[in-house]
Amino acid sequence: MNPVFESGDYLALRREFLGRARFDQVDISADQDRGRQRDALFNQISAVQCEFWKLPLDHLQRTLASIDTRNFPEFGPVVNRLRTAAACRGEFPKLAQSKGMNLGLFNAFKAAAVLPPGDALRYKERFLRSIRERKHLKEVQKAVRIIQRDYPILYALEKDWFGTLTKTKIRRASVDYGAVGQES
């Protein structure tokens, strides 16, 4: 085929090969349906996040297993994280009762484990900013070591954040997030 003289035929053959409709014959309602499907999936995930700690575990796991993100891959990491957190949800109460566990760290971690990444980041940063004294930082770092040693699956959920916490140093009543230098 010569695309100069048979461009219409060439494009029709290409559309047929790709399984696409002509652009001027595309059903706009299909895009609207996709938007509604995306909104419904977003709402379903948000509902699970809000009720994560209240739902019976078997119901939670069935709900998470039924969420299909193939058509909306941007939701895949959030759903996978929720599935991982659900798989080890029984470890959270044990962690809370561990000797040496810092309650502030535990609450921030528990919230961050089920939130969307942006919201989780705000919780984690707020917790980091709340650490103003060296004694408090040492308690948090001890708790991080407990999580790492006794709850490696939970540690893996927030490995980077926990790593930041262990490297954090306090200088003159402010927190230096992982910088190297002398401590006060």
Side-chain angles (χ1 to χ4, degrees):
M1 292 180 84
N2 185 338
V4 173
F5 301 108
E6 301 170 299
S7 59
D9 294 334
Y10 184 74
L11 291 173
L13 184 60
R14 179 179 177 272
R15 276 192 304 274
E16 181 181 327
F17 178 76
L18 295 174
R20 304 275 171 111
R22 285 178 48 139
F23 183 71
D24 58 349
Q25 297 174 350
V26 172
D27 183 12
I28 294 174
S29 66
D31 286 339
Q32 292 171 344
D33 286 343
R34 182 164 169 74
R36 281 192 286 267
Q37 290 172 351
R38 185 183 188 290
D39 291 344
L41 182 59
F42 175 80
N43 291 335
Q44 184 181 14
I45 293 169
S46 294
V48 169
Q49 289 169 323
C50 289
E51 299 296 319
F52 186 89
W53 301 106
K54 299 172 191 168
L55 290 172
L57 186 55
D58 60 334
H59 178 70
L60 174 65
Q61 289 175 330
R62 278 194 314 271
T63 301
L64 288 170
S66 72
I67 296 176
D68 182 9
T69 61
R70 282 180 290 181
N71 293 331
F72 303 96
E74 65 271 23
F75 292 121
V78 174
V79 173
N80 287 337
R81 183 173 171 87
L82 287 169
R83 288 177 181 152
T84 302
C88 54
R89 189 173 92 167
E91 297 296 306
F92 280 89
K94 295 175 193 172
L95 176 61
Q97 295 173 358
S98 294
K99 184 178 180 180
M101 181 49 50
N102 178 278
L103 190 58
L105 173 66
F106 174 77
N107 288 331
F109 172 50
K110 184 178 170 185
V114 298
L115 288 174
D119 295 341
L121 182 61
R122 283 188 286 280
Y123 264 87
K124 294 183 289 190
E125 286 177 350
R126 188 177 313 135
F127 178 74
L128 276 170
R129 285 192 306 268
S130 75
I131 302 172
R132 300 192 187 284
E133 299 173 3
R134 186 173 179 197
K135 180 181 176 186
H136 184 210
L137 178 61
K138 294 297 179 189
E139 290 171 4
V140 168
Q141 290 173 334
K142 179 182 175 187
V144 168
R145 286 190 298 275
I146 290 169
I147 297 170
Q148 185 177 18
R149 182 188 68 225
D150 298 340
Y151 302 93
I153 294 173
L154 296 180
Y155 183 84
L157 284 172
E158 288 293 343
K159 184 178 180 178
D160 293 337
W161 182 51
F162 289 139
T164 299
L165 288 170
T166 58
K167 294 174 187 170
T168 299
K169 297 184 185 230
I170 293 186
R171 291 187 191 181
R172 294 191 208 150
S174 68
V175 177
D176 183 6
Y177 301 107
V180 178
Q182 286 187 330
E183 293 181 5
S184 301

